[in-house]
């Protein structure tokens, strides 16, 4: 490939970073990295009423958390108004755009009349200059919009990187508004804020974007964009429209059906590499590979094998992928994550070495950091086994043995071997076996009847805490 690949992700800061956008960001990023190109972050903040600084921050944080580093940006569209205005003016001069002075009332009446005639509603191009057409003088009381002169005939075709050939007739496509009206009190001739379809083209052109990956809800916008690129004499990028992600109920993944933001998964204790691995597979494949690093993905991600049909969000599979990465993760990294998770619950756990050892012991049975913290919390806060568990495991027959064990542990060397020896000695003295003594100890000290090897689990407690908990017999 001779041209430099340049991709971008262009989220609108009207909320958190959606999983669908994160997946497109990953594809755009991996594609650029695969071909040694550049990846740009652009913030599409022209929906002034709905865009917030808070959302911008969430998007930046999520990109950073995922490790999707960008080479340029963030570029903010609202800082580029002068550029959109200049391009729109040039288009008006060139006859590829025009001012339209229709009031909202006129547009309503227009649509009403079309409906009454049984027509599909559309803008009737009444302000579009045409050879031999006489336009009325512009009304002074109306701030005009600027519309694009979409070709009236012909077909817009492109070979979509994901969906293959797509053809849409220009009969389906109106004269799109490219600039909204200026503020009511702005001086005559002022220009307003660009619409998405216009700003996106000017930006993709100015940023020399070569490949656009985005959600397939934008397929219907693409003919407008291609026509505007052509009107500007700008080179066309290649488009790849990824299918939407479905929830496990087969409906579009949405907030009502569960977490859809990257932030929510971070908070729920997923690791970024697990999210990347899972998102990558949700619409792309490399043979039967399910677990792969982001580096491998970059090696493999050449734009082929993108799925044409929607993938379904599968929480169980994500949990499985996450548990794989938790098992692999460095214990000191897990310790820091658990520490933060416990801190968010108001639990102070300052000994990172202890947390790391405990993480090593418990990580095999956890699919999220939250679950790991649920386990490790017992080292810092009182536990309360259920009445049923107490009855089932702390039977009268075992109580005297628990008392002896407590005595033995009071002086035993405080390590795994010392604790194991104390248990062995207690069992021998009371004629008990491990399956009788260990669950009772677990229920009292850990609040649960099942844990990894009890001597290892106890060794990570402070001795006094174990003695106190065993006392509640
Ligand atoms: N701001 C648009 C979105 O978030 C960008 C679409 C595009 O990539 O062109 O959907």
């Amino acid at each position: 490939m001779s041209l430099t690949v340049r991709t971008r992700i262009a989220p609108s800061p009207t909320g958190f970073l959606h999983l669908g956008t994160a997946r497109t960001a990953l594809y755009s990023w991996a594609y650029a990295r695969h071909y040694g190109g550049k990846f740009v972050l652009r913030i599409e903040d022209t929906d002034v009423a709905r865009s917030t600084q808070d959302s911008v921050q969430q998007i930046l944080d999520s990109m950073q958390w995922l490790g999707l580093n960008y080479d340029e940006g963030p570029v903010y569209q609202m800082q580029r108004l002068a550029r959109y205005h200049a391009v729109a003016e040039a288009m008006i001069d060139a006859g590829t755009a025009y001012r339209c002075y229709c009031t909202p009332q006129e547009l309503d009446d227009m649509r009403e009349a079309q409906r009454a005639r049984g027509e599909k509603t559309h803008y009737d191009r009444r302000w579009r200059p045409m050879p031999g057409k006489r336009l009325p003088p512009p009304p002074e009381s109306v701030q005009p919009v600027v519309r694009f002169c979409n070709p009236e005939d012909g077909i817009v075709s492109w070979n979509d990187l994901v969906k293959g050939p797509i053809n849409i007739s220009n009969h389906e496509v109106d004269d799109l508004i490219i600039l909204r009206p200026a503020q009511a009190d702005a001086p005559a001739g002022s220009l307003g804020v660009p619409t998405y379809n216009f700003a996106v083209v000017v930006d993709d052109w100015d940023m020399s974007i070569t490949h656009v990956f985005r959600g397939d809800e934008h397929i219907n916008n693409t003919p407008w964009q291609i026509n505007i690129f052509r009107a500007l004499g700008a080179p066309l990028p290649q488009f790849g429209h990824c299918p939407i992600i479905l929830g496990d109920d087969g409906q579009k993944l949405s907030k009502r059906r569960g977490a859809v933001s990257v932030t929510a998964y971070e908070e729920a204790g997923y690791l970024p590499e697990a999210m990347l691995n899972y998102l990558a597979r949700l619409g792309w494949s490399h043979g039967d590979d399910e677990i792969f690093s982001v580096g491998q993905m970059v090696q493999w991600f050449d734009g082929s094998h993108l799925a044409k049909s929607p993938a379904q969000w599968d929480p169980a599979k994500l949990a499985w992928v996450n548990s794989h990465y938790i098992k692999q993760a460095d214990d000191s990294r897990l310790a820091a994550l658990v520490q933060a998770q416990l801190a968010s619950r108001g639990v102070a756990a300052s000994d990172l070495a202890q947390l790391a050892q405990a993480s090593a012991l418990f990580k095999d049975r956890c699919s999220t950091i939250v679950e790991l913290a649920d386990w490790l919390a017992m080292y810092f806060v009182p536990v309360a086994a259920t009445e049923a568990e107490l009855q089932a495991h702390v039977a009268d027959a075992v109580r005297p043995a628990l008392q002896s064990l407590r005595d033995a542990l009071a002086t035993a060397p405080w390590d795994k071997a010392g604790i194991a020896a104390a248990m062995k000695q207690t069992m021998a003295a009371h004629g008990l076996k491990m399956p009788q003594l260990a669950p009772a100890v677990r229920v009292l000290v850990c609040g649960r009847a099942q844990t990894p090897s009890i001597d290892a689990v106890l060794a990570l407690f402070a001795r006094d805490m174990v003695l106190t908990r065993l006392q509640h017999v």
Side-chain angles (χ1 to χ4, degrees):
M1 201 173 273
S2 60
L3 89 174
T4 305
V5 166
R6 291 179 57 89
T7 63
R8 55 30 167 216
I9 188 71
S12 302
T14 53
F16 43 70
L17 188 68
H18 188 278
L19 294 170
T21 314
R23 182 187 58 171
T24 339
L26 170 62
Y27 291 176
S28 307
W29 175 88
Y31 195 79
R33 294 289 171 260
H34 178 86
Y35 288 108
K38 300 279 186 228
F39 173 61
V40 182
L41 173 64
R42 181 166 79 223
I43 302 288
E44 299 206 327
D45 53 357
T46 58
D47 184 345
V48 183
R50 292 175 57 228
S51 296
T52 66
Q53 191 48 45
D54 200 43
S55 302
V56 170
Q57 198 52 52
Q58 278 211 41
I59 289 168
L60 299 180
D61 290 348
S62 293
M63 292 288 289
Q64 189 180 22
W65 182 69
L66 289 170
L68 298 178
N69 55 328
Y70 33 92
D71 305 295
E72 292 167 28
V75 173
Y76 295 86
Q77 289 190 322
M78 286 306 283
Q79 292 174 10
R80 289 175 42 79
L81 289 184
R83 172 66 181 151
Y84 308 124
H85 291 168
V87 175
E89 297 273 23
M91 289 172 76
I92 295 172
D93 290 347
T96 54
Y98 60 96
R99 288 188 166 83
C100 162
Y101 293 85
C102 283
T103 62
Q105 184 58 48
E106 280 174 301
L107 290 170
D108 280 350
D109 295 345
M110 182 190 306
R111 290 192 204 103
E112 194 50 50
Q114 288 164 345
R115 259 187 283 243
R117 292 194 296 271
E119 292 171 14
K120 208 173 138 196
T121 57
H122 61 279
Y123 173 66
D124 65 6
R125 299 184 163 138
R126 63 179 64 171
W127 283 94
R128 175 164 166 160
M130 303 266 193
K133 178 171 165 185
R134 276 176 59 115
L135 292 170
E140 269 176 25
S141 57
V142 180
Q143 288 284 18
V145 299
V146 176
R147 288 186 183 266
F148 172 58
C149 291
N150 199 72
E152 289 174 276
D153 296 307
I155 291 183
V156 185
S157 306
W158 75 96
N159 194 4
D160 198 271
L161 290 166
V162 180
K163 306 260 178 175
I166 297 184
N167 303 296
I168 297 180
S169 162
N170 273 322
H171 291 294
E172 310 276 322
V173 186
D174 258 354
D175 278 4
L176 168 85
I177 295 177
I178 60 173
L179 293 184
R180 300 184 181 95
Q183 304 275 351
D185 54 358
S190 304
L191 295 171
V193 174
T195 55
Y196 156 67
N197 278 303
F198 180 55
V200 81
V201 172
V202 176
D203 288 351
D204 285 341
W205 179 31
D206 285 353
M207 296 169 190
S208 307
I209 299 301
T210 57
H211 297 78
V212 170
F213 291 96
R214 61 185 169 202
D216 66 1
E217 70 274 18
H218 288 296
I219 286 184
N220 288 335
N221 288 321
T222 306
W224 273 312
Q225 296 181 19
I226 290 179
N227 286 333
I228 297 174
F229 272 107
R230 292 200 171 125
L232 291 171
L236 274 186
Q238 282 191 268
F239 295 95
H241 289 94
C242 301
I244 56 163
I245 302 173
L246 299 177
D248 48 9
D249 56 359
Q251 304 291 313
K252 186 176 177 206
L253 190 68
S254 78
K255 214 162 157 183
R256 266 172 297 133
R257 297 185 179 85
V260 290
S261 69
V262 171
T263 320
Y265 285 88
E266 180 184 358
E267 282 165 7
Y270 290 83
L271 297 180
E273 62 268 41
M275 291 305 288
L276 290 177
N277 188 155
Y278 180 74
L279 285 170
R281 279 290 291 110
L282 208 62
W284 172 78
S285 56
H286 180 265
D288 292 333
D289 291 315
E290 291 293 354
I291 297 286
F292 44 82
S293 70
V294 76
Q296 281 170 309
M297 182 190 179
V298 166
Q299 252 176 42
W300 297 332
F301 197 85
D302 60 3
S304 59
H305 305 293
L306 283 157
K308 284 189 172 54
S309 43
Q312 204 155 13
W313 188 259
D314 180 349
K317 184 171 167 196
L318 173 61
W320 171 73
V321 173
N322 203 46
S323 60
H324 166 85
Y325 284 101
I326 287 184
K327 271 190 211 108
Q328 297 230 313
D330 196 62
D331 297 327
S332 55
R333 175 179 171 210
L334 294 176
L337 291 170
V338 169
Q339 187 179 52
Q341 175 58 228
L342 290 173
S344 74
R345 304 176 190 185
V347 178
S350 55
D351 186 345
L352 279 170
Q354 177 197 20
L355 282 174
Q357 284 175 300
S359 296
L361 209 49
F362 286 91
K363 64 182 181 182
D364 281 3
R365 46 186 78 207
C366 297
S367 56
T368 64
I369 297 295
V370 169
E371 279 175 33
L372 188 54
D374 288 345
W375 272 110
L376 302 201
M378 67 182 177
Y379 287 106
F380 310 97
V381 290
V383 291
T386 62
E387 205 42 51
E389 265 177 332
L390 285 169
Q391 273 183 11
H393 300 290
V394 192
D396 285 344
V398 88
R399 282 167 198 270
L402 286 167
Q403 199 50 55
S404 317
L405 177 65
R406 190 172 174 275
D407 295 341
L409 289 178
T411 54
W414 198 248
D415 55 23
K416 190 167 172 273
I419 293 168
M423 299 241 347
K424 216 165 158 190
Q425 171 200 326
T426 307
M427 287 185 290
H430 292 263
L432 293 175
K433 298 236 174 320
M434 199 55 131
Q436 293 157 302
L437 184 61
V441 177
R442 289 186 168 112
V443 165
L444 289 173
V445 180
C446 311
R448 314 197 195 197
Q450 275 156 8
T451 69
S453 171
I454 187 66
D455 43 9
V457 169
L458 292 189
L460 295 175
F461 278 93
R463 186 199 302 262
D464 284 351
M465 199 180 271
V466 171
L467 300 185
T468 309
R469 289 184 188 182
L470 283 177
Q471 204 161 26
H472 292 139
V473 180

